[in-house]
Amino acid sequence: MTFSSSPSPSSSFVHFISPPARHSSSPAMVKIPEKISICGGGSSFSRFRCSAGQTGFFTRLGRLLKEKAKSDVDKIFSGFSKTRQNLAVVDELLLYWNLAETDRVLDELEEALLVADFGPRISGKIVDSLRDDILSGKLKSGSEIKDALKKIVLNLLSSKAGKTELQLGYKKPAVVMIVGVNGGGKTTSLGKLAYRLKNEGVKILMAAGDTFRAAASDQLEVWAERTGSEIVVAQGEKTKAQSVLAQAVKKGKEGGYDVVLCDTSGRLHTNFNLMEELVACKKAVSKVVSGAPNEILLVLDGTTGLNMLQQAREFNEVIGVTGLILTKLDGSARGGCVVSVVEELGIPVKFVGVGEGVDDLQPFDPEAFVDAIFS
């Protein structure tokens, strides 16, 4: 890592850190460009402009990430293996289904959905819909019931929330804030998101806005080096998070960055003062770039199951969450919580964490998700 030797007066409270120069025997000073509007891609630079006038850049980026999600369907399947095992009873129940067994089968189906953390209200809603269609004669076989089950879940995911692609606006830099409680995986998710974006040729600046946890900046610096991104970190212990984020967005604006990824401190949703700090961070960013942040992504730990709903309600009420990142879904049989969160809050899931690898933060695709848990 190299540090700017002569920061400007306006940045006296932060360090600008650049990744080490490649193919060099000793670290070299890397000057952050001020006027160039070029996105880096891999070890060489793909020379295409990403200026504010090219409104389709971020739209294409969102679509491309979603297309990659479809191509990474094997990761989704492996990531939700425990949920799939838990719901395997569905196939067993429907294999020898007959009309006389309808009530028993549907009761056991509802129990399976509950165990997979679909939630009592959603599970009941799904089963009631299936019962109505069975009794009206619309569903006449086990395979038809399963197809209807998948369709109901897909409709819940698709109709209750907005677009699952990142909505990054039309001007640079797009600003993404990552928020959530302690231990949910915010910094790791930010690093993995940076990895995905860098692979698409996006020029990224990270902002170490977690000023409470001493190791947070070090952790994010590792991700910056791993992804070839630059990073803004607080210089003093008393530096406020909103100052770090504002300076980073200003640097992103001046330096021609495509995306500024802003980390924040983990906080309990019940702590009023800490939640108010998020509001201050949001205001500080918007003063630098009108309309920012473009996305406020709430990281939710999938292992907490339906308990995450209360967290999401509080964060959404205070700061206005635009999308969700559900992490650690590979470690439990609780994939159904995705449906409950979306149905309850109407907030789209943007990404799901299905493993520990650098590329295991998967863009959320409702259809691939439904196929994965009911395969």
Side-chain angles (χ1 to χ4, degrees), residues 8-190:
S8 63
S10 64
S11 61
S12 59
F13 52 85
V14 297
H15 287 304
F16 297 104
I17 307 176
S18 300
R22 299 183 180 181
H23 312 299
S24 173
S25 59
S26 61
M29 297 300 290
V30 180
K31 184 178 180 181
I32 300 176
E34 298 294 333
K35 299 297 183 181
I36 299 176
S37 178
I38 299 176
C39 299
S43 58
S44 61
F45 287 94
S46 55
R47 303 288 179 175
F48 62 90
R49 292 279 175 180
C50 301
S51 63
Q54 290 180 311
T55 59
F57 172 71
F58 289 128
T59 300
R60 292 195 301 273
L61 175 63
R63 289 174 180 170
L64 185 59
L65 289 176
K66 191 165 185 177
E67 289 171 3
K68 289 295 182 66
K70 291 182 181 295
S71 67
D72 289 343
V73 68
D74 287 343
K75 287 185 177 293
I76 295 290
F77 271 70
S78 61
F80 287 106
S81 60
K82 291 187 178 181
T83 299
R84 193 163 61 253
Q85 291 169 9
N86 219 42
L87 291 173
V89 67
V90 173
D91 287 327
E92 298 174 13
L93 288 170
L94 298 179
L95 182 61
Y96 300 108
W97 174 85
N98 62 75
L99 189 59
E101 295 288 316
T102 295
D103 287 339
R104 180 189 64 80
V105 168
L106 290 181
D107 285 345
E108 292 188 29
L109 174 59
E110 184 172 3
E111 183 178 347
L113 294 175
L114 287 170
V115 172
D117 257 0
F118 275 77
R121 190 166 63 85
I122 297 302
S123 298
K125 186 175 182 178
I126 291 172
V127 169
D128 286 345
S129 179
L130 291 174
R131 179 179 283 106
D132 291 342
D133 285 346
I134 291 172
L135 295 179
S136 66
K138 293 180 181 179
L139 304 176
K140 300 177 181 179
S141 68
S143 60
E144 288 182 357
I145 294 173
K146 183 176 180 179
D147 288 342
L149 170 62
K150 293 172 65 175
K151 184 176 181 180
I152 292 170
V153 174
L154 181 59
N155 286 340
L156 286 172
L157 289 172
S158 302
S159 63
K160 281 285 184 176
K163 295 181 179 178
T164 57
E165 301 96 333
L166 284 175
Q167 303 299 301
L168 299 178
Y170 62 90
K171 58 184 178 181
K172 296 196 306 176
V175 181
V176 178
M177 279 180 61
I178 308 292
V179 302
V181 301
N182 298 294
K186 294 184 306 303
T187 303
T188 299
S189 295
L190 187 152

Side-chain angles (χ1 to χ4, degrees), residues 196-314:
R196 277 201 170 270
L197 293 174
K198 286 291 289 189
N199 283 346
E200 306 305 332
V202 177
K203 186 178 180 183
I204 293 173
L205 181 63
M206 296 181 178
D210 186 347
T211 56
F212 287 116
R213 189 164 60 94
S217 293
D218 294 338
Q219 184 183 359
L220 200 61
E221 285 179 36
V222 171
W223 276 106
E225 184 172 359
R226 185 181 297 178
T227 60
S229 304
E230 293 177 357
I231 182 173
V232 175
V233 300
Q235 185 172 355
E237 293 182 1
K238 295 183 179 181
T239 303
K240 293 184 177 181
Q242 53 263 41
S243 298
V244 177
L245 299 193
Q247 190 64 29
V249 175
K250 181 180 179 181
K251 189 65 183 178
K253 185 177 180 180
E254 296 173 347
Y257 291 85
D258 297 313
V259 178
V260 180
L261 298 177
C262 301
D263 196 14
T264 61
S265 301
R267 63 204 70 222
L268 290 175
H269 55 284
T270 54
N271 189 313
F272 176 80
N273 290 333
L274 291 181
M275 293 295 283
E276 284 298 301
E277 186 192 61
L278 282 181
V279 178
C281 289
K282 182 178 180 180
K283 289 180 178 178
V285 166
S286 65
K287 287 180 180 179
V288 181
V289 174
S290 178
N294 302 84
E295 290 271 18
I296 299 176
L297 302 181
L298 172 61
V299 177
L300 295 172
D301 183 342
T303 63
T304 63
L306 294 175
N307 291 328
M308 70 175 66
L309 280 173
Q310 185 59 35
Q311 296 175 21
R313 291 190 194 105
E314 295 291 340

